[in-house]
Amino acid sequence: MNKKVYIFLADGFEDIEGLTVVDLMRRADIDIKTVSIKKLKEITTSHGITMLTDLTFAETDFTDADMLVLPGGMPGTKYLNEYQPLRDLLADFYKKGGKVAAICAAPTVLASLGFLEKRKATAYPSCMEGLAGAERSLESVVVDGNVTTSRGLGTAVDFALSLIGQLLGEKKVDEIAESVVYSRK
């Protein structure tokens, strides 16, 4: 059975943080869908690239999700945090033990929902103070239970590979890393 992942995109998301996850998961044969939180599928990244998502939030049924992912970037993270239907979905999914992941500024969204309370977590350096209740870490990727956080653009490949490993195991991680000529530390 294929794993199903949804990554949520808002105008101003960090290109590399979002699309690296999508690219590497698709290489791993994970069914990852890009989801616009707007009424339209058209999203403009933080660096002015306009793209189309696979789905809009309103048209999607997330009951088949194995993982929900939030990329960072500004003002994308701000828009994700302000979008109440996404906050409600994340809260319900997390409460049921679902895997949630966020990179760069986006771990602050998880913190605002109380997911990082008494958990180890990381974020973009200027966002670390926004990890209320968390044990702050400087590691590139932190996995604590069903929550994964990462620092930013420079850790995007490690973040994506960690998510792949959680869903498909280390053998698949090694295969994907080798296929893109990425040296794991």
Side-chain angles (χ1 to χ4, degrees):
M1 179 173 89
N2 273 357
K3 297 294 183 180
K4 186 70 165 251
V5 176
Y6 294 95
I7 186 166
F8 299 92
L9 306 180
D11 285 334
F13 84 89
E14 173 55 53
D15 315 43
I16 300 301
E17 294 166 3
L19 297 179
T20 297
V21 172
V22 174
D23 180 286
L24 293 180
M25 282 196 171
R26 288 187 177 168
R27 289 172 192 261
D29 294 321
I30 293 170
D31 185 7
I32 182 168
K33 299 294 184 199
T34 57
V35 181
S36 168
I37 64 164
K38 301 186 330 182
K39 291 181 179 163
L40 304 171
K41 291 181 180 181
E42 186 175 285
I43 293 288
T44 301
T45 71
S46 62
H47 295 285
I49 298 170
T50 300
M51 61 171 278
L52 295 177
T53 61
D54 298 314
L55 307 161
T56 63
F57 192 95
E59 72 179 343
T60 307
D61 172 8
F62 301 101
T63 57
D64 60 351
D66 292 295
M67 181 182 285
L68 303 178
V69 182
L70 304 178
M74 284 295 181
T77 297
K78 176 180 172 287
Y79 297 145
L80 293 176
N81 197 35
E82 292 171 349
Y83 188 63
Q84 194 60 47
L86 174 60
R87 291 178 61 83
D88 294 343
L89 172 68
L90 288 165
D92 184 58
F93 190 73
Y94 173 82
K95 185 175 72 179
K96 293 176 180 170
K99 292 180 180 294
V100 294
I103 184 170
C104 190
T108 61
V109 176
L110 303 183
S112 75
L113 290 163
F115 298 177
L116 303 184
E117 198 67 40
K118 295 186 170 92
R119 287 188 186 269
K120 192 172 168 186
T122 194
Y124 190 74
S126 66
C127 297
M128 291 292 275
E129 286 185 22
L131 303 183
E135 176 190 331
R136 297 177 188 126
S137 170
L138 298 179
E139 294 173 66
S140 336
V141 179
V142 175
V143 180
D144 189 337
N146 60 332
V147 178
T148 303
T149 54
S150 189
R151 304 218 62 207
L153 185 151
T155 64
V157 173
D158 291 329
F159 177 63
L161 291 174
S162 173
L163 301 181
I164 291 167
Q166 291 175 54
L167 295 171
L168 301 178
E170 286 303 305
K171 183 177 178 193
K172 183 56 87 172
V173 171
D174 291 340
E175 176 188 315
I176 298 304
E178 184 179 330
S179 77
V180 298
V181 194
Y182 181 74
S183 296
R184 295 178 67 202
K185 295 175 184 126

